[in-house]
Amino acid sequence: MANRGTGPDFVEALARGLDVLAAFDARRPVMSLSEVAAATDLARPTARRLLLTLEEMGYVLVTGGGFALTPKVLSLGLAYISSQGLWDIARPHLERLVAATGESSSMAQLDGSDIVYVARVSVPKIITLRVDIGTRFPAAQTSQGKVLLAGLEPAEAARVLDEPSRSGLPPYLGKGRGALAAELTEVRARGWALADEELAPGIRSVAAPVRDGSGRVRAAMNVTVHAAETSLETLLDRHLPKLLRTAGDVSAEWALWQSRPHVELERDSAVS
């Protein structure tokens, strides 16, 4: 399983560590060092170092019969599970918002200096920009990205914007860093953001934040329209109030979902 990366940024050590975790399954809940090395096609010294590192981090424990995973491994998937919980909550609200506005609505999260679309309910309209789940756009050119950037501390937002975009789009030349910083300050104050034909000609959208139980901005929802069909006044006067209510409802329900009863006990190091 090792030595299969081809990209210049591929980290082989990380891949090998993940291979070790993935080697355990229902048929092999406990494995010896030799078995782990054979299952991952790693040399025994390499497998041993990885196992001991994972043990120190709490993901693996040493038993009488070898090595086994700990429940902490489940934490590696909690971010994904949480995002799925968010989508389950948001979907009916997005559908109602689209029914009320007659326009498409999406949800996105921040990944570096880009936004990534994680949910979308669309209407069949002629639009010049294709958007699917997983589509990536530069955050600074989108209403959702501005909301997400405004949810960060100014210094953190500046650091994020220094990261190169992985969207494949050419660099945005329409707005300088100072003007963007001033706009983000305004977005923080008013609680929504507008992008008027900044990402592509004819595309305008307005976005609002979706917050978790701590009040942190974790996602953004938008309403997207075609400039030739929907005026800026209609977008802000008719659609924005509906969007703000919807985003608030999703945030409230997500906070309630996150507050469901849950207890995590410290593992007694003397008992293993």
Side-chain angles (χ1 to χ4, degrees), residues 3-35:
N3 298 317
R4 70 291 201 193
T6 58
D9 298 320
F10 186 84
V11 181
E12 185 64 45
L14 174 60
R16 289 174 173 175
L18 294 173
D19 285 343
V20 169
L21 292 176
F24 294 88
D25 57 27
R27 295 179 296 105
R28 299 179 298 187
V30 179
M31 288 193 289
S32 67
L33 173 59
S34 297
E35 289 172 330

Side-chain angles (χ1 to χ4, degrees), residues 194-210:
L194 174 72
D196 191 7
E197 300 189 80
E198 297 175 46
L199 184 62
I203 304 300
R204 64 172 48 128
S205 68
V206 64
V210 175

Side-chain angles (χ1 to χ4, degrees), residues 83-121:
S83 69
Q84 292 301 297
L86 175 57
W87 166 235
D88 288 338
I89 291 167
R91 178 169 53 190
H93 293 280
L94 281 172
E95 291 172 348
R96 285 193 291 270
L97 177 62
V98 169
T101 62
E103 305 290 353
S104 297
S105 181
S106 304
M107 181 177 291
Q109 294 180 303
L110 196 63
D111 183 18
S113 62
D114 296 330
I115 63 165
V116 177
Y117 283 77
V118 297
R120 181 167 173 82
V121 177

